Amino acid sequence: MAKSSKSLTRRPAWKALGAHYKQIRDTHLRQLFADDPHRGEHFTTEAVGIFLDYSKNRITDETVKLLLQLAEESGLRSRIDAMFKGDKINVTEKRAVLHVALRAPKGEFIVVDGEDVVPAVHNVLDKMTSFCNRVRSGEWKGHTDRRIRNVVNIGIGGSDLGPVMAYETLKHYSDRAMTFRFVSNVDGTDFAEAVVDLDPAETLFIVSSKTFTTLETMTNAHTARDWSLAGLGGEEMSVAKHFVAVSTNAAEVKKFGIDTANMFEFWDWVGGRYSMDSAIGLSTMLAIGLENFRAMLDGFHQMDEHFRTTPFEKNLPVLLGLLSIWYNDFFGAQTVAVLPYEQYLKRFPAYLQQLTMESNGKHVTLKGKDVTYNTGPIYWGEPGTNGQHSFYQLIHQGTRLIPCDFIAFEKALNPLGRHHDMLLANVFAQTEALAFGKTAEQVKAEGTPDWLVPHRVFKGDRPSNTILAEQLTPETLGKLVALYEHSVFTQGVIWQIDSFDQWGVELGKVLAQRIIGEIEGPADTVLNHDSSTNNLINRYRKLKE
Ligand code: F6P
């Protein structure tokens, strides 16, 4: 039996970690720091311009050794190799998982089903480039000969969260003469508000959908088509100038009325939540231009190479993934807070939610057996310092253990007075306060009356990582996203799950299709749901009348 196929909980490292946890769970971070005056330098690593301080975690050298042993026993090395060489590691969909090919430089070989996919990736990049140049320069004209000033991306999930996050994150680098909007929700308000102040003659829609069948996206795309046609004299030929598509499904794109010459292709080996650097990034390239987009791809690639080639003890995504396992499976932590101290990263936690939770929210192993341990934690967060005045109270003094990732940049993109020093001071202060807290003695020494002391005590011992980079650039964004992508992969390998399918979204979709028919069909249609669902549908049907 290969090492990696042994059940997780029967692995020597897993068992040793369980015993080790019992030994160190009561050792406070204060003690760990007191024991080793160099701990703050010791548990750090830096690669490709990303510095990780993981010293404020509840770990010792022994913990790291055992976690690394777990990675080895789980066959992580061979699974990384399998992903990079195009093996069909998404077993339930029988697909290769090759987002790394999207940022592979020209000349690399990555073969799927006997075909090198890298030239195809670069052909699409070239097509995107020439399209973006034409739109950004004003050469691409709308139906009435006006230049395009507004771009609306219509998509959902990976076909929205990546584009909107990248746009918000890289706004500093974007063409401010153009307006970018993102429509995802089937709630009509999303579309209505996105176009309320736009002129159809200057508006280009990008319909982004891997499958081109997703209910929300197709509904919004048809509404956009009606809106555009209504504003352009109802002339069908205007669609060619105001709609382009990003998809793997040429037949459906054609059916919708978009010329496949204006379709930007990607492939079934790109998962939706791993697609922001494929043609799904068309709106990103339109906003920031080719050079910046290429720099972002280069950032992704640098992290890919780091992940592929660096020994695990210095490997950023591996360390981040293993720490997540440590808290999730041994401390019983249920969530991870991601706290970017950078306003431009305000959509980053939302992006990470799909990346992490759609990937690792699984309850069976690759072989279809129920897992007997916890898998994917809940990822959430908000930018600092806003979160500090909202939910940090619970992280500091609540009853739950919430490991935190703090993300910050040494140089500000908008240097204004002392703002950046204050921002960074808050990052360092929060991680210090979480780790060391404030004892009853310290609180008393400040003259606090006895009755108030318990309320003002901070127990500390709250773990965090600090991730620092020089400045938020397109290249840094690529590195950051790839860091989390590969951390998710690392966790999925250890849990022996398929991180690349998403069957859990199916049931709700199917039921919604059935209920749409019941809501819009004859009022006397007999309902065969449970009594609660029947009652809710009936109530809505009556209100509609
Ligand atoms: O939520 C399920 C899902 O399939 C995601 O994985 C995907 O990103 C999203 O729907 C959108 O799918 P598509 O790009 O095919 O419209």
Side-chain angles (χ1 to χ4, degrees), residues 119-130:
V121 166
H122 284 273
N123 285 343
V124 173
L125 277 172
D126 291 344
K127 186 172 171 183
M128 288 164 67
T129 304
S130 110

Side-chain angles (χ1 to χ4, degrees), residues 306-374:
H306 165 75
F307 179 56
R308 191 176 68 81
T309 61
T310 307
F312 291 164
E313 65 272 18
K314 291 191 179 315
N315 193 312
L316 295 165
V318 171
L319 289 170
L320 217 55
L322 292 174
L323 287 165
S324 177
I325 301 256
W326 178 231
Y327 293 116
N328 185 71
D329 292 302
F330 296 93
F331 282 80
Q334 294 185 333
T335 79
V336 176
V338 180
L339 309 165
Y341 279 65
E342 167 56 71
Q343 187 60 19
Y344 286 122
L345 279 173
K346 67 180 182 203
R347 295 288 286 163
F348 193 60
Y351 171 79
L352 283 188
Q353 286 185 331
Q354 188 199 13
L355 179 66
T356 58
M357 297 203 269
E358 206 171 64
S359 296
N360 284 342
K362 309 290 162 64
H363 76 295
V364 292
T365 65
L366 290 164
K367 290 187 175 158
K369 295 255 183 315
D370 273 333
V371 297
T372 53
Y373 39 83
N374 279 326

Side-chain angles (χ1 to χ4, degrees), residues 156-159 209-211 214 217 272-273 354 358 502 505 509:
I156 197 163
S159 303
S209 175
K210 182 172 167 180
T211 54
T214 305
T217 301
R273 52 196 175 273
Q354 188 199 13
E358 206 171 64
Q502 57 284 316
V505 299
K509 277 192 201 172

Side-chain angles (χ1 to χ4, degrees), residues 58-78:
R58 293 171 64 174
I59 55 169
T60 62
D61 282 326
E62 180 67 8
T63 326
V64 176
K65 194 189 101 195
L66 292 174
L67 286 169
L68 292 170
Q69 187 188 325
L70 181 65
E72 295 294 350
E73 287 175 10
S74 303
L76 180 60
R77 172 61 57 211
S78 63

Side-chain angles (χ1 to χ4, degrees), residues 450-520:
D450 281 355
W451 67 268
L452 193 54
V453 170
H455 297 276
R456 300 195 55 178
V457 165
F458 287 68
K459 286 194 175 142
D461 219 15
R462 268 77 169 154
S464 66
N465 291 309
T466 305
I467 297 166
L468 292 178
E470 188 181 341
Q471 192 163 38
L472 181 56
T473 61
E475 187 183 323
T476 322
L477 176 64
K479 291 173 189 171
L480 260 187
V481 174
L483 169 66
Y484 279 95
E485 284 177 348
H486 299 319
S487 159
V488 164
F489 177 82
T490 299
Q491 295 170 58
V493 167
I494 293 191
W495 289 319
Q496 299 176 307
I497 56 178
D498 190 333
S499 299
F500 302 102
D501 60 12
Q502 57 284 316
W503 298 104
V505 299
E506 292 300 319
L507 179 59
K509 277 192 201 172
V510 172
L511 286 173
Q513 285 294 0
R514 175 174 150 198
I515 295 173
I516 290 167
E518 291 163 349
I519 286 174
E520 293 181 340

Side-chain angles (χ1 to χ4, degrees), residues 128-148:
M128 288 164 67
T129 304
S130 110
F131 173 73
C132 288
N133 286 342
R134 289 173 69 199
V135 173
R136 282 166 64 92
S137 67
E139 186 194 326
W140 177 290
K141 298 268 191 296
H143 181 60
T144 56
D145 234 23
R146 304 248 294 274
R147 70 181 286 173
I148 298 298

Side-chain angles (χ1 to χ4, degrees), residues 413-433:
L413 285 171
N414 296 293
L416 289 176
R418 297 172 58 219
H419 282 253
H420 202 63
D421 288 346
M422 290 185 188
L423 183 69
L424 273 277
N426 273 281
V427 177
F428 306 144
Q430 286 299 327
T431 67
E432 185 179 8

